[in-house]
Amino acid sequence: MGITSRKEREKEEMRRLILDAALRLFREKGFDGVSIRNIAEAIEYSPATIYLYYKDKSEIYFALQFEAAALKRDHLLPAAAFEDPWQRLIEFGRRYIDFGMKHPDLYDLLFIIRSPMESIENQDCWKLGIATHAFFVETVQACVDARHFKSTDTETIAYTLWCHAHGLVSLFIRERMRMYPEEKRAELAKRSFDMIVKMAESL
Amino acid sequence: MGITSRKEREKEEMRRLILDAALRLFREKGFDGVSIRNIAEAIEYSPATIYLYYKDKSEIYFALQFEAAALKRDHLLPAAAFEDPWQRLIEFGRRYIDFGMKHPDLYDLLFIIRSPMESIENQDCWKLGIATHAFFVETVQACVDARHFKSTDTETIAYTLWCHAHGLVSLFIRERMRMYPEEKRAELAKRSFDMIVKMAESL
DNA sequence: TTAAACACTAAACACTGTTCATTAACTTTG
DNA sequence: CAAAGTTAATGAACAGTGTTTAGTGTTTAA
């Protein structure tokens, strides 16, 4: 088993090497700004070598999306510590928005960039995303169970809150808030979050 | 004035020819999927000719964005007919979402695609967008004036509603609703719109 | 030791946005 | 009307992109 397992290990190491370089470059220059040649140069291999480890650029895209999903999960995880479902939900929302604002590149990758057509459902990144989404929906369900809302339509409540948070983050990071002066944007976002929390309370 | 005015007219016609082809191609294949060469081929000119009428691709982008903004304004305009500000606001929101769902390519252009860096503020498309946004904010203000909300923070109310609508549309058109079965998505969006309306009523 | 498997790469292909020298047509002037 | 000047259009090139392929040298297995 010595040789084959070593080879497998080496293959895995190479994939990591490529991915780490890709993620670093991507966070510096954005997804579209990074070429296979850039990545190859960064790891001091020829561009063709990349294709021995990843079928094409979109496979790298999916692998990066998985990385981003893991980082996002880690960012949101502390919210789970809150006992009270309503507090948990608020903290979840706050952290979701905070993640998007602090890591626009990763948020972009996860929720904005047009993903390659192939069945994303089968990709690991998607499963991880589903899991995080499920945690969110469960938290909303816990609030519903605790009679925190008048409405009991968990699905719609969760989706509505998500729409707001996603809209807030994506308008921000795709620079569609230019009608508000730069220094006011973050504060407006904060006020809006407080408002949606208030709105949800009387839901 | 004969010749120079004719030349100007011809120049304008050529710009229109380019833009119409660009918009048509763009709606077929998406912005990134359309190259200068595609446009040139469509109008049966050489690629270099395009550059005699538009400085670069981003200038075509801005021109297309203006077209999209005009189409969006026309789509939203009927909402202005409603006398009651609250009904006007609801209709505005409904039409905003409807526009995004019916014309994902145009919505993309207006609110999602990463716009070229140059000062978009000076572009006509931006002014048109500002005007439509102003109409929206005015409608919210009219609701506030009519004591329709407890809150009087017009800016935050408008922004919060916009966040929800934008989030709803952009999650949909960038295919981030795969956890919901295809046939349920539109209905979920509808329920969410109704819910945000209800939430706003008790705002 | 020889044959097969493997990791790797240089070079090519068909694209992309963009620039520039050159050509061809039109407009103005002598 | 012909010569000079202006302008529209282009072919060819540059530097970049993702991707494929034929070929190299090394490592493993028989």
Side-chain angles (χ1 to χ4, degrees):
Chain A
M1 59 131 76
I3 287 170
T4 51
S5 83
R6 192 206 70 205
K7 291 227 163 173
E8 227 160 89
R9 202 175 57 241
E10 282 175 353
K11 189 134 193 159
E12 210 42 61
E13 277 167 14
M14 189 65 165
R15 284 172 67 92
R16 261 258 70 85
L17 187 68
I18 292 169
L19 219 57
D20 286 343
L23 187 57
R24 188 174 52 75
L25 286 172
F26 167 63
R27 303 186 75 164
E28 281 167 17
K29 313 200 276 177
F31 189 72
D32 290 338
V34 179
S35 70
I36 299 284
R37 282 173 177 83
N38 294 155
I39 300 171
E41 198 178 358
I43 62 172
E44 298 179 294
Y45 279 84
S46 96
T49 303
I50 308 280
Y51 287 88
L52 299 176
Y53 297 90
Y54 290 95
K55 188 174 126 282
D56 53 26
K57 205 186 179 185
S58 85
E59 208 168 282
I60 298 179
Y61 162 85
F62 284 125
L64 286 176
Q65 205 171 41
F66 181 78
E67 303 284 296
L71 289 169
K72 170 168 163 274
R73 184 202 49 204
D74 295 346
H75 195 96
L76 300 186
L77 212 62
F82 284 73
E83 286 276 320
D84 177 43
W86 176 238
Q87 286 306 316
R88 197 157 73 239
L89 185 58
I90 291 176
E91 187 64 13
F92 192 91
R94 196 195 316 282
R95 284 178 170 274
Y96 182 94
I97 291 169
D98 189 58
F99 176 81
M101 299 300 201
K102 280 205 184 116
H103 309 292
D105 42 6
L106 302 180
Y107 192 89
D108 224 294
L109 201 49
L110 288 169
F111 296 111
I112 305 183
I113 287 178
R114 209 190 301 281
S115 36
M117 286 310 286
E118 313 128 55
S119 62
I120 191 179
E121 281 85 353
N122 301 332
Q123 306 287 344
D124 294 341
C125 60
W126 186 242
K127 287 178 201 156
L128 193 51
I130 286 275
T132 313
H133 186 77
F135 168 58
F136 169 57
V137 176
E138 276 161 30
T139 303
V140 174
Q141 182 63 53
C143 290
V144 168
D145 292 343
R147 304 276 187 278
H148 203 285
F149 309 123
K150 266 171 281 172
S151 167
T152 57
D153 186 353
T154 303
E155 195 171 52
T156 309
I157 296 170
Y159 176 63
T160 302
L161 297 176
W162 185 29
C163 282
H164 174 265
H166 171 69
L168 189 140
V169 173
S170 58
L171 284 173
F172 190 85
I173 70 183
R174 284 289 167 113
E175 306 199 59
R176 258 48 176 210
M177 292 180 67
R178 288 215 189 76
M179 65 280 278
Y180 303 107
E182 170 105 53
E183 68 278 9
K184 274 190 68 179
R185 290 172 202 169
E187 203 230 322
L188 184 57
K190 213 216 150 313
R191 281 210 313 257
S192 182
F193 179 73
D194 293 342
M195 184 172 277
I196 199 87
V197 168
K198 274 244 161 53
M199 286 166 90
E201 272 169 350
S202 64
L203 194 135
Chain B
M1 58 133 72
I3 286 170
T4 50
S5 83
R6 191 205 70 202
K7 292 226 163 173
E8 229 160 88
R9 201 174 59 240
E10 281 175 351
K11 189 134 194 161
E12 210 42 61
E13 276 167 16
M14 188 66 165
R15 285 172 68 92
R16 261 257 72 83
L17 187 67
I18 293 170
L19 220 57
D20 286 344
L23 187 58
R24 187 174 54 75
L25 286 173
F26 168 63
R27 303 187 75 163
E28 282 167 18
K29 313 201 276 176
F31 189 73
D32 289 339
V34 179
S35 69
I36 299 286
R37 281 175 178 80
N38 293 156
I39 301 170
E41 199 178 359
I43 61 172
E44 297 178 294
Y45 279 84
S46 98
T49 303
I50 307 280
Y51 287 87
L52 300 176
Y53 297 91
Y54 290 96
K55 189 173 126 282
D56 54 26
K57 205 186 179 186
S58 84
E59 206 166 285
I60 297 179
Y61 164 83
F62 284 125
L64 286 176
Q65 207 171 40
F66 181 79
E67 303 284 295
L71 288 169
K72 171 166 163 274
R73 184 203 49 204
D74 295 346
H75 195 96
L76 300 186
L77 212 62
F82 284 73
E83 286 276 321
D84 177 42
W86 177 237
Q87 286 307 313
R88 196 157 72 237
L89 185 58
I90 292 176
E91 187 64 14
F92 192 91
R94 195 194 316 282
R95 284 178 172 274
Y96 182 95
I97 291 169
D98 189 59
F99 176 81
M101 299 300 202
K102 279 206 185 115
H103 310 290
D105 41 8
L106 302 179
Y107 192 90
D108 224 293
L109 200 50
L110 287 168
F111 294 112
I112 305 183
I113 287 178
R114 210 190 300 282
S115 34
M117 287 309 286
E118 314 127 56
S119 62
I120 190 181
E121 282 84 354
N122 302 331
Q123 307 287 343
D124 293 340
C125 58
W126 185 244
K127 287 179 201 155
L128 193 50
I130 287 276
T132 313
H133 186 77
F135 168 58
F136 169 58
V137 176
E138 276 161 29
T139 304
V140 174
Q141 182 63 52
C143 291
V144 168
D145 291 344
R147 302 276 187 280
H148 203 284
F149 309 123
K150 268 171 280 172
S151 167
T152 57
D153 186 352
T154 303
E155 195 171 52
T156 309
I157 297 171
Y159 176 63
T160 302
L161 297 177
W162 185 30
C163 282
H164 174 265
H166 171 70
L168 189 142
V169 173
S170 59
L171 284 174
F172 189 85
I173 71 183
R174 284 288 166 113
E175 306 199 59
R176 259 49 175 210
M177 292 180 68
R178 287 214 189 76
M179 64 280 278
Y180 302 106
E182 169 104 53
E183 67 278 10
K184 274 190 66 181
R185 290 173 202 168
E187 203 231 323
L188 184 57
K190 212 216 150 312
R191 281 211 312 261
S192 182
F193 179 74
D194 293 342
M195 183 173 277
I196 199 88
V197 168
K198 275 246 159 55
M199 286 165 89
E201 272 170 351
S202 65
L203 193 136

